Amino acid sequence: MSLNKFFYITLLFFSYNVSSQMRVDLLEYKHRIQFSERYFTTEDNIHTAILPLFFESESALEKTPGQLTIHPAKKNKDGISARIYPITDLMGGLESGTMQASPFRYTAGIGIGTEFSSKKWYSSLKVLPYVSEQIFTLDSVRQNFGIDAGTTRPITGSLFQRSEFILAYKPHRIFTLSTGYGKHFFGEGYRSVFLSDHAAPYPFFKIQTSFGSIQYVNLYAVWNDNSAFPSDRTMDKMKFSSSHYLSWNIIPGLNIGVFETVVWQAKDSLAQRNFDFNYLNPVVFFRPVEYGLGSADNVLLGASLNYKPDQHHCFYSQLLLDEFLLSELKAGNNWWGNKYAIQVGYKSNQFFVDNLYLQLEFNMVRPFTYAHKYAVQSYGHFNSAVAHPAGANFYELVNIVSFRKEKIMFTNKITFLGIGVDKDSINQGQNIFRSYSDRNGNYGHKIMQGNRMTIFNEQFIAEYPLLNKIDLYITAMYQYRMSWSSTETLHQHFVTVGIRTRLWNIYADY
């Protein structure tokens, strides 16, 4: 028996595969680069700004070489596919630039993934417990303080876990219902100012309605606030969010989107609200409902415009409004309540030569955007922003270049962030979990106000597929991070190598 066959028999307990199955793609950004043909499609019934991407295995998306489904063992007449497989994160290396007792850093975890799919059903479960000895940047840009980014808290000591569960049902070609415990992303960019996958996973229920060139999403989620007492589980405060996203492919390649969301606390000073069924209305804008309830829930509105001139280039943009008064904007007084975020970007999966991927992106967020009077109603979950990881009060440039040479994929990612953090205990609008009532006056609030920090971050990653069918890669990474302010300059170098299953984004680049 060959070594390759031995791996498949021992790692994949069983596998059935036929042409018509419901599939769900990964959120991991290098996966989206490698299989970019799916995300640069101009077909009018595919909406690539709504992630994770649901599709049928017989669709055009399945034609991409290297699809991650297991090598077919045999066909099942009922269209059923199932598998069990290992997932792992075994990475280790050295870090320099901080006064630590030991420069050795590592992440060591082995878990399990299961998947079942048929024409109308899909389920996926991934559980990865791991121990981690990493350096956490406590510079007030990241507010996690001992919480590994993308998770909640350690189970105990340095033992963490990442997990995801998705159960989807397609009762009709128009509707796709899904529920579980996971993350979501709205947008064509590397970042999103609407909703990203930066924070920890959360319970959710989602309805996707597709008709012609339009897809409409209702997403209901359960979040938690632990910003006041991050290490005390008994002090967590539950909150809920309800979001709508309308995506319309007007003509081939041209897409507009409309986004709105509302966040409210499960318990306020008057009563135990729990889930407010008034926000179940699938089509109405939230602001009239909010006023009708006499509440001051946190409502955000947004719009996007994306254009793909062909299947190799994409121009994208997002505009998010938290609060906004045109008269105050015209006055030019930098009123605190003009809270908004902007993203513009360009990406190409064939930038002049084959296999060369290029992405350029600009993001900016005004002070106090996403924040609220009460932390429990801020646009965050488990002490992490659910939109841009840096929170607010910043400018950012992102550059990603990726190239495939035979089986090896090289990716270089550079982020350049200019941000203003709190100074002298005064809220400068970066930390979305601080009350905007703590601000210093109503006017004169500019982006990067406060203690200005500039952060340059570069990651160079080389990946070689060890077992492509289960997304297992040999990975080597070098990361350089430089941050400077008026008081200090810090240089950090990280070199890590190991074996990792490509599943989730881990944002350590801000």
Side-chain angles (χ1 to χ4, degrees):
M1 179 183 293
S2 69
L3 182 62
N4 190 47
K5 288 184 179 179
F6 175 77
F7 272 123
Y8 280 118
I9 292 175
T10 56
L11 299 182
L12 311 176
F13 291 90
F14 58 95
S15 171
Y16 299 96
N17 201 334
V18 296
S19 59
S20 180
Q21 299 166 352
M22 192 190 306
R23 311 297 305 175
V24 179
D25 227 348
L26 300 178
L27 282 172
E28 208 270 354
Y29 81 97
K30 294 189 301 302
H31 170 88
R32 301 204 304 266
I33 294 173
Q34 182 173 349
F35 301 98
S36 59
E37 290 87 348
R38 302 177 190 175
Y39 299 92
F40 282 80
T41 179
T42 57
E43 294 188 25
D44 65 356
N45 63 336
I46 298 175
H47 299 263
T48 56
I50 300 173
L51 303 175
L53 188 64
F54 283 80
F55 60 93
E56 293 185 8
S57 60
E58 62 186 3
S59 72
L61 297 180
E62 184 74 0
K63 298 176 183 178
T64 304
Q67 160 67 13
L68 295 179
T69 52
I70 315 170
H71 185 75
K74 63 179 181 178
K75 292 185 177 181
N76 182 289
K77 65 179 181 179
D78 296 321
I80 296 174
S81 170
R83 62 171 177 166
I84 304 174
Y85 57 97
I87 57 179
T88 186
D89 190 349
L90 300 171
M91 300 289 293
L94 300 175
E95 182 267 338
S96 66
T98 56
M99 301 299 293
Q100 299 293 317
S102 171
F104 184 62
R105 304 284 172 252
Y106 66 88
T107 300
I110 298 178
I112 192 170
T114 67
E115 186 178 46
F116 172 88
S117 63
S118 66
K119 189 172 183 179
K120 291 189 175 183
W121 288 93
Y122 176 88
S123 68
S124 173
L125 172 66
K126 303 180 183 74
V127 179
L128 179 65
Y130 64 96
V131 292
S132 181
E133 180 63 39
Q134 297 287 348
I135 182 69
F136 299 99
T137 307
L138 306 182
D139 56 11
S140 84
V141 172
R142 175 172 294 169
Q143 299 293 328
N144 294 29
F145 297 106
I147 300 174
D148 197 3
T151 65
T152 54
R153 298 181 180 89
I155 299 172
T156 179
S158 58
L159 176 63
F160 298 85
Q161 66 89 21
R162 293 179 183 270
S163 59
E164 174 186 275
F165 171 67
I166 298 175
L167 176 63
Y169 174 56
K170 196 176 183 69
H172 188 273
R173 62 182 179 83
I174 292 178
F175 299 104
T176 302
L177 312 178
S178 59
T179 188
Y181 178 77
K183 304 182 183 185
H184 305 267
F185 191 103
F186 291 144
E188 293 280 0
Y190 172 68
R191 311 285 196 196
S192 173
V193 298
F194 292 170
L195 178 66
S196 79
D197 57 336
H198 167 247
Y202 44 84
F204 71 91
F205 177 68
K206 182 165 68 171
I207 306 171
Q208 293 175 246
T209 306
S210 302
F211 42 96
S213 58
I214 295 175
Q215 184 166 122
Y216 188 67
V217 177
N218 300 91
L219 176 62
Y220 309 101
V222 181
W223 293 343
N224 280 278
D225 175 70
N226 66 340
S227 56
F229 305 95
S231 60
D232 189 345
R233 299 174 188 271
T234 64
M235 299 301 292
D236 289 358
K237 297 180 180 179
M238 183 183 295
K239 58 183 176 181
F240 300 93
S241 71
S242 179
S243 304
H244 298 158
Y245 188 86
L246 173 67
S247 175
W248 180 20
N249 294 324
I250 303 175
I251 59 174
L254 182 61
N255 172 273
I256 62 171
V258 178
F259 169 76
E260 62 171 346
T261 189
V262 60
V263 180
W264 70 98
Q265 54 190 321
K267 182 180 181 179
D268 58 25
S269 58
L270 298 177
Q272 182 78 30
R273 292 180 63 188
N274 291 318
F275 189 88
D276 195 325
F277 289 94
N278 291 282
Y279 292 125
L280 278 178
N281 191 324
V283 294
V284 71
F285 280 97
F286 289 132
R287 185 62 75 179
V289 173
E290 182 204 15
Y291 283 133
L293 295 173
S295 70
D297 297 333
N298 192 6
V299 177
L300 307 172
L301 301 174
S304 64
L305 177 65
N306 310 309
Y307 177 58
K308 300 172 184 175
D310 54 38
Q311 295 183 342
H312 300 295
H313 304 275
C314 176
F315 299 88
Y316 57 91
S317 63
Q318 290 183 334
L319 169 64
L320 178 126
L321 301 178
D322 190 341
E323 293 183 46
F324 186 81
L325 281 179
L326 183 59
S327 59
E328 293 286 359
L329 184 66
K330 290 181 177 180
N333 295 323
N334 291 300
W335 180 53
W336 79 276
N338 275 340
K339 302 182 292 181
Y340 57 85
I342 295 174
Q343 177 187 88
V344 292
Y346 162 78
K347 58 184 178 179
S348 171
N349 66 349
Q350 189 173 308
F351 193 68
F352 293 108
V353 297
D354 292 342
N355 297 326
L356 180 62
Y357 179 96
L358 173 72
Q359 186 164 8
L360 298 170
E361 184 175 298
F362 169 76
N363 299 291
M364 61 162 284
V365 181
R366 284 269 301 163
F368 307 107
T369 307
Y370 306 116
H372 199 265
K373 185 176 182 180
Y374 306 103
V376 71
Q377 288 184 220
S378 64
Y379 198 53
H381 168 56
F382 273 128
N383 224 11
S384 296
V386 295
H388 195 289
N393 193 24
F394 67 84
Y395 296 103
E396 182 192 45
L397 290 173
V398 179
N399 171 240
I400 302 174
V401 178
S402 186
F403 181 74
R404 291 199 311 273
K405 180 65 175 178
E406 296 180 350
K407 290 186 176 182
I408 303 177
M409 181 174 173
F410 302 95
T411 303
N412 191 72
K413 173 160 58 73
I414 296 175
T415 60
F416 189 78
L417 179 74
I419 191 167
V421 299
D422 291 350
K423 182 179 181 180
D424 300 328
S425 301
I426 298 175
N427 184 6
Q428 301 293 341
Q430 180 270 324
N431 183 355
I432 69 170
F433 298 102
R434 287 196 65 175
S435 172
Y436 54 52
S437 298
D438 296 339
R439 65 186 182 273
N440 185 14
N442 292 333
Y443 295 96
H445 294 281
K446 299 179 180 180
I447 297 178
M448 292 184 62
Q449 66 183 7
N451 184 18
R452 292 191 175 189
M453 296 185 61
T454 306
I455 301 171
F456 175 86
N457 204 308
E458 180 174 13
Q459 286 182 334
F460 179 78
I461 303 170
E463 293 179 307
Y464 180 85
L466 184 61
L467 283 174
N468 192 47
K469 302 299 183 180
I470 59 171
D471 239 10
L472 188 64
Y473 289 81
I474 299 175
T475 303
M477 184 189 75
Y478 166 73
Q479 179 174 346
Y480 169 64
R481 185 181 192 274
M482 177 182 180
S483 61
W484 64 95
S485 66
S486 60
T487 58
E488 66 175 355
T489 300
L490 178 65
H491 300 267
Q492 293 171 277
H493 301 267
F494 305 83
V495 178
T496 56
V497 294
I499 300 173
R500 171 179 285 167
T501 303
R502 189 198 281 171
L503 290 176
W504 299 292
N505 287 310
I506 302 174
Y507 293 102
D509 56 359
Y510 61 97

